[in-house]
Amino acid sequence: MAPSNEQHLLSTEIVNRGVEPSGPDAGSPAFSVRVRRRLPDFVHSGVNLKYVRLGYHYLINHGIYLATVPLLVLVFGVELGSLSRDELWRRLVEDSRYDLATVLSFLAVFVFTLSVYFMSRPRSVYLVDFACYRPSDDLKVSKEEFIEKVRESGKYDEATVEFQKRILQFSGMGDETYVPKQVLAGENCATMKEGRAEASAVMFGALDELFEKTQVRPKDVSVLVVNCSIFNPTPSLSAMIINHYKMRGNILSYNLGGMGCSAGIIAVDLARDMLQANPGSYAVVVSGEMVGYNWYRGKERSMIIPNCYFRMGCSAVLLSNKRRDYRRAKYRLEHVVRTHKGADDRSFRCIYQEEDDQGFKGLRVSKELMEIGGEALKTNITTLGPLVLPFSEQLFFLATVFWRHFFGGSKKTSATTVAATAAAATATAPNEKPYIPDFKLAFEHFCVHAASKTVLDELQRNLELSDSNLEASRMALHRFGNTSSSSIWYELAYLEAKERVRSGDRIWQIAFGSGFKCNSLVWQAVRRVKKPARNPWLDCIDRYPVAI
């Protein structure tokens, strides 16, 4: 039995197992009850108020001019309002004849203030374009074919095969995902040779498309950031790209390893910092995962789960801080919010790479993953909320916080907490529902990391999102599977293929991964995005959305 304080994290469902083939109950229908851990209920569970303060700290730092300029205008307006028209004209014209030094000093201070403002203002970072790798059709594998290959390999007993079959059945994945040939052939693909071969295929495939779409030469790229969690050879993946495309000798290259499915957002954050320090530059971010190299060949069920979900994929993104690229860019980067829960031992070990008892290397997934992921997600969006929620939602939120802090509940129930879906809230009386800001007012589009159907279902319930809000995530999972850090870009490609992104739209990309980390990116479309000529969805977009 689960402890009483953890029972709310468990969900149950009745599974129809068909008709009993033999035994005393032969011919009668059979059912079983499945118990799963779920995400914490964001509405009634709390997170430390310091993350709300952190969000407002970011807001104040970036909005200091919004606070001071209106005050100066008000003071100046009151001063002018106290003067008549004749007196104002006299002061402007007649007094200036005899006080030229004052006028020049005022102009000098004004020019100096404007110069400091524009020089200290961070440069805008634009997303010029991006590309997502689509493997060849001979690498497609249906769920039924996948199970048959697993059974034919002879490495798993029938119970383990059935376990993988059940996972795929409820995974939300379709029958057109991609896996490396060596996996289908049952060969040992966890070798450096096979890892480099897969890396070359997916990275160069995405980059070739990116350079073709943007007409940017590889030698024009000043910053290169590559992220891949598992496969990290020497020379590095970034060195492989530089060698293949013969890039410039003074390029700033970085290779991020072991940072999980949210590493793509970390890579964008690093590229942004590099662009702020190097004006007039291009940065390329490559995000991928080598599925074959991380294929687990053992029998431990907690380590078999990644085999069922992870599929081939890679994305390449071109960022620029050149002002002239505003005219052709698709998006402008607005916010990056990163959350790391690695100080907690449970979070640190919930996704852990190690060897099993037989010496086979793989990723061990903890049963507490949903709970830990929920806590990281709450912290992240609690910090993000004050940066993105409209003024009306902020006003209601602040009123709720103050009212409940000073007037709400008994001493036992009045401790301040934060509802993660709202980016803030406080603990409430048992029969009182907290005010929940609507994140759908902050964003037009949502690109949530397509980890699994269960995760997306729980996020939709907790964040109170509609089916259309999570359509891109569900369809990306169905068509391409979990492509790790590149999944949020396949989702954005889906929105572009559907021609849903219009000028001014705000896109929220959120991903989570080992460590445990949860990271967010916020983009704003600078123009209406038409259907691209190159897109991984073009041959099948008319079939989507599909019922899952």
Side-chain angles (χ1 to χ4, degrees):
M1 291 291 293
S4 58
N5 61 339
E6 292 187 5
Q7 289 182 0
H8 69 285
L9 298 177
L10 304 180
S11 62
T12 59
E13 60 178 298
I14 299 177
V15 180
N16 185 355
R17 297 173 57 188
V19 178
E20 287 287 350
S22 59
D25 298 324
S28 60
F31 299 89
S32 63
V33 178
R34 176 179 296 143
V35 180
R36 291 178 173 173
R37 296 189 74 87
R38 64 193 301 176
L39 287 177
D41 189 342
F42 292 170
V43 173
H44 298 100
S45 59
V47 72
N48 199 309
L49 191 61
K50 67 181 180 180
Y51 299 113
V52 181
R53 293 198 298 267
L54 181 60
Y56 279 107
H57 175 70
Y58 291 157
L59 180 65
I60 291 172
N61 279 350
H62 291 86
I64 187 65
Y65 297 104
L66 296 178
T68 57
V69 171
L71 181 62
L72 294 176
V73 171
L74 179 62
V75 173
F76 187 67
V78 171
E79 180 69 21
L80 291 181
S82 63
L83 302 175
S84 64
R85 181 179 300 179
D86 294 339
E87 187 176 0
L88 177 63
W89 177 257
R90 181 179 60 80
R91 289 194 177 189
L92 290 176
V93 178
E94 297 180 2
D95 291 358
S96 62
R97 298 175 183 174
Y98 307 102
D99 201 4
L100 182 61
T102 301
V103 175
L104 293 178
S105 300
F106 174 79
L107 290 177
V109 170
F110 181 72
V111 172
F112 176 77
T113 303
L114 285 181
S115 301
V116 170
Y117 169 73
F118 285 109
M119 291 176 63
S120 62
R121 185 181 179 185
R123 285 177 171 267
S124 294
V125 174
Y126 301 106
L127 192 161
V128 179
D129 212 333
F130 68 96
C132 296
Y133 173 69
R134 179 184 159 178
S136 57
D137 289 344
D138 62 325
L139 300 180
K140 282 184 181 179
V141 59
S142 67
K143 289 179 285 190
E144 184 177 348
E145 290 172 341
F146 182 89
I147 294 301
E148 285 303 314
K149 294 295 183 181
V150 168
R151 182 177 282 112
E152 292 173 2
S153 68
K155 299 175 182 177
Y156 307 98
D157 54 32
E158 190 60 28
T160 305
V161 173
E162 287 299 319
F163 172 72
Q164 297 183 63
K165 185 176 181 179
R166 288 197 303 272
I167 290 179
L168 288 175
Q169 182 179 358
F170 297 101
S171 65
M173 294 165 55
D175 291 323
E176 294 184 293
T177 59
Y178 304 90
V179 297
K181 284 183 178 180
Q182 289 70 25
V183 171
L184 294 177
E187 300 176 3
N188 178 20
C189 50
T191 64
M192 296 301 292
K193 179 180 178 181
E194 296 299 337
R196 283 193 173 95
E198 183 180 349
S200 299
V202 299
M203 293 193 309
F204 300 158
L207 285 167
D208 286 346
E209 180 180 334
L210 179 70
F211 290 136
E212 179 183 343
K213 292 168 71 173
T214 60
Q215 295 300 302
V216 171
R217 300 179 306 167
K219 286 186 177 295
D220 294 333
V221 176
S222 301
V223 179
L224 173 65
V225 184
V226 181
N227 70 271
C228 179
S229 288
I230 303 299
F231 183 60
N232 290 285
T234 300
S236 65
L237 297 176
S238 59
M240 288 175 58
I241 294 174
I242 293 171
N243 175 263
H244 179 79
Y245 290 100
K246 309 305 179 187
M247 291 179 162
R248 60 205 297 180
N250 62 343
I251 189 171
L252 303 176
S253 64
Y254 301 88
N255 205 91
L256 306 181
M259 303 196 76
C261 299
S262 65
I265 295 178
I266 298 174
V268 171
D269 189 24
L270 175 59
R272 178 191 64 169
D273 291 343
M274 292 300 102
L275 288 176
Q276 294 297 341
N278 298 273
S281 302
Y282 285 120
V284 169
V285 176
V286 180
S287 302
E289 196 61 69
M290 304 310 121
V291 177
Y293 187 78
N294 191 47
W295 202 260
Y296 175 63
R297 297 182 293 147
K299 299 179 180 180
E300 291 199 24
R301 295 190 175 186
S302 64
M303 303 176 75
I304 288 176
I305 294 175
N307 285 7
C308 300
Y309 282 107
F310 284 98
R311 296 293 184 264
M312 294 180 69
C314 186
S315 64
V317 181
L318 179 66
L319 303 175
S320 172
N321 60 8
K322 300 180 180 181
R323 291 189 173 91
R324 67 171 180 268
D325 281 326
Y326 172 81
R327 296 183 178 180
R328 66 167 183 155
K330 290 184 175 181
Y331 310 98
R332 179 175 58 244
L333 182 59
E334 297 291 325
H335 303 289
V336 182
V337 176
R338 294 168 54 181
T339 301
H340 203 305
K341 291 289 186 177
D344 176 66
D345 290 341
R346 287 196 316 151
S347 299
F348 175 71
R349 296 188 66 90
C350 71
I351 300 178
Y352 202 82
Q353 186 183 23
E354 60 182 349
E355 292 85 12
D356 64 9
D357 295 337
Q358 296 178 291
F360 294 118
K361 174 174 58 69
L363 287 177
R364 189 182 300 277
V365 180
S366 169
K367 293 180 180 179
E368 299 177 325
L369 175 62
M370 293 289 284
E371 179 184 354
I372 291 169
E375 292 298 324
L377 179 65
K378 285 196 300 181
T379 301
N380 185 266
I381 63 179
T382 298
T383 306
L384 176 68
L387 302 176
V388 298
L389 289 171
F391 179 74
S392 60
E393 295 296 298
Q394 295 281 358
L395 187 62
F396 278 120
F397 154 65
L398 288 174
T400 303
V401 169
F402 284 116
W403 177 264
R404 289 181 180 160
H405 183 72
F406 292 107
F407 305 105
S410 64
K411 184 174 291 186
K412 182 178 180 180
T413 60
S414 63
T416 305
T417 59
V418 181
T421 58
T426 56
T428 61
N431 297 323
E432 183 182 2
K433 184 177 180 180
Y435 174 72
I436 305 172
D438 189 356
F439 270 88
K440 296 187 290 295
L441 298 177
F443 304 107
E444 283 73 31
H445 307 288
F446 297 78
C447 296
V448 181
H449 170 49
S452 70
K453 180 179 181 297
T454 303
V455 171
L456 294 178
D457 288 344
E458 289 296 314
L459 284 172
Q460 179 175 2
R461 179 183 66 84
N462 276 284
L463 296 179
E464 298 185 350
L465 302 178
S466 65
D467 290 338
S468 62
N469 293 144
L470 281 185
E471 180 182 320
S473 299
R474 294 189 188 280
M475 297 308 107
L477 179 64
H478 182 273
R479 177 63 181 86
F480 295 98
N482 183 344
T483 58
S484 189
S485 57
S486 63
S487 67
I488 54 178
W489 297 106
Y490 285 89
E491 294 162 20
L492 186 55
Y494 177 87
L495 295 172
E496 291 190 354
K498 286 288 188 179
E499 296 188 276
R500 294 180 180 174
V501 181
R502 289 171 170 76
S503 178
D505 283 1
R506 293 153 298 180
I507 298 98
W508 182 18
Q509 291 181 316
I510 183 168
F512 26 85
S514 60
F516 194 87
K517 297 180 287 293
C518 181
N519 302 314
S520 291
L521 284 176
V522 178
W523 304 91
Q524 185 170 33
V526 298
R527 60 184 173 87
R528 180 176 179 269
V529 180
K530 299 180 180 179
K531 181 181 290 189
R534 297 282 299 275
N535 187 291
W537 293 90
L538 291 185
D539 70 322
C540 61
I541 193 64
D542 294 335
R543 293 190 277 118
Y544 284 90
V546 299
I548 300 178

